[in-house]
């Protein structure tokens, strides 16, 4: 089945276009009109990380030396991600901990990352959910955790 999900004119560096989620096995980028020969350096598609205007990752909590982020309703499940927990002092990164690559499972898990070594009670930790450490595409806004 061929279906046009998005059309427009004008593309450019870091242009981001949003469309309603669909299921597909293949995607085709068709350029039907151009002033000169187009050059495509990169073309990427991402799973939307919000549902009904709400983020699909819950509020982080600290438990047993880890920072846990619950997967909430609206998350499609199967979203590949990695977490990073970072501590800063005067805007300088001082400690970081990175999770192994994870796949979300709706309602069945908390995503977790170790509290960075060297952090202690009262420290503020920024937690990030990215698609991977290679590309660092954010899947949600950074979240702040105060260590108890």
């Amino acid at each position: 089945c061929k279906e046009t999900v998005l059309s427009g004119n004008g593309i450019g560096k870091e242009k981001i276009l949003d469309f309603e989620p669909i299921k597909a096995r293949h995607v085709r980028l068709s350029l039907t009109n151009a002033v000169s020969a187009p050059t495509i350096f990169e073309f990427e598609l991402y799973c939307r990380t919000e549902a009904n205007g709400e983020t699909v990752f819950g509020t982080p909590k600290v438990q047993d030396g880890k920072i846990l982020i619950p997967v909430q309703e609206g998350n499609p499940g199967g979203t590949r991600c990695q977490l990073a927990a970072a501590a800063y002092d005067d805007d300088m990164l001082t400690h970081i901990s990175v999770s192994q690559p994870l796949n979300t499972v709706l309602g069945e898990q908390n995503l977790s990352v170790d509290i960075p070594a060297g952090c202690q009670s009262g420290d503020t930790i920024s937690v990030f959910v990215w698609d991977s450490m290679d590309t660092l595409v954010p899947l949600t806004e950074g979240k702040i955790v105060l260590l108890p």
Side-chain angles (χ1 to χ4, degrees), residues 16-37:
I16 298 173
L17 302 172
D18 190 33
F19 57 92
E20 290 301 313
I22 61 166
K23 289 185 179 186
R25 264 197 285 175
H26 304 282
V27 175
R28 176 178 292 160
L29 173 64
S30 298
L31 305 173
T32 57
N33 192 3
V35 175
S36 61

Side-chain angles (χ1 to χ4, degrees), residues 5-58:
V5 295
L6 188 67
S7 65
N9 51 15
I11 60 174
K13 182 179 180 183
E14 299 179 20
K15 181 154 186 169
I16 298 173
L17 302 172
D18 190 33
F19 57 92
E20 290 301 313
I22 61 166
K23 289 185 179 186
R25 264 197 285 175
H26 304 282
V27 175
R28 176 178 292 160
L29 173 64
S30 298
L31 305 173
T32 57
N33 192 3
V35 175
S36 61
T39 302
I40 304 298
F41 176 72
E42 193 170 33
F43 175 73
E44 298 175 304
L45 297 173
Y46 298 99
C47 179
R48 181 179 287 169
T49 60
E50 295 187 356
N52 301 323
E54 297 181 24
T55 57
V56 295
F57 298 104

Side-chain angles (χ1 to χ4, degrees), residues 81-146:
C81 61
Q82 264 185 293
L83 277 63
Y88 298 88
D89 185 13
D90 291 326
D91 293 330
M92 294 285 293
L93 179 66
T94 58
H95 303 88
I96 190 165
S97 178
V98 177
S99 74
Q100 293 295 315
L102 305 163
N103 285 312
T104 63
V105 179
L106 178 59
E108 293 183 16
Q109 81 181 67
N110 286 313
L111 302 177
S112 71
V113 61
D114 291 335
I115 293 172
C119 292
Q120 55 193 359
S121 179
D123 285 349
T124 300
I125 308 295
S126 296
V127 182
F128 304 95
V129 182
W130 289 316
D131 68 331
S132 75
M133 292 298 117
D134 295 327
T135 56
L136 299 177
V137 174
L139 299 182
T140 190
E141 292 181 12
K143 298 179 181 286
I144 303 297
V145 175
L146 180 63

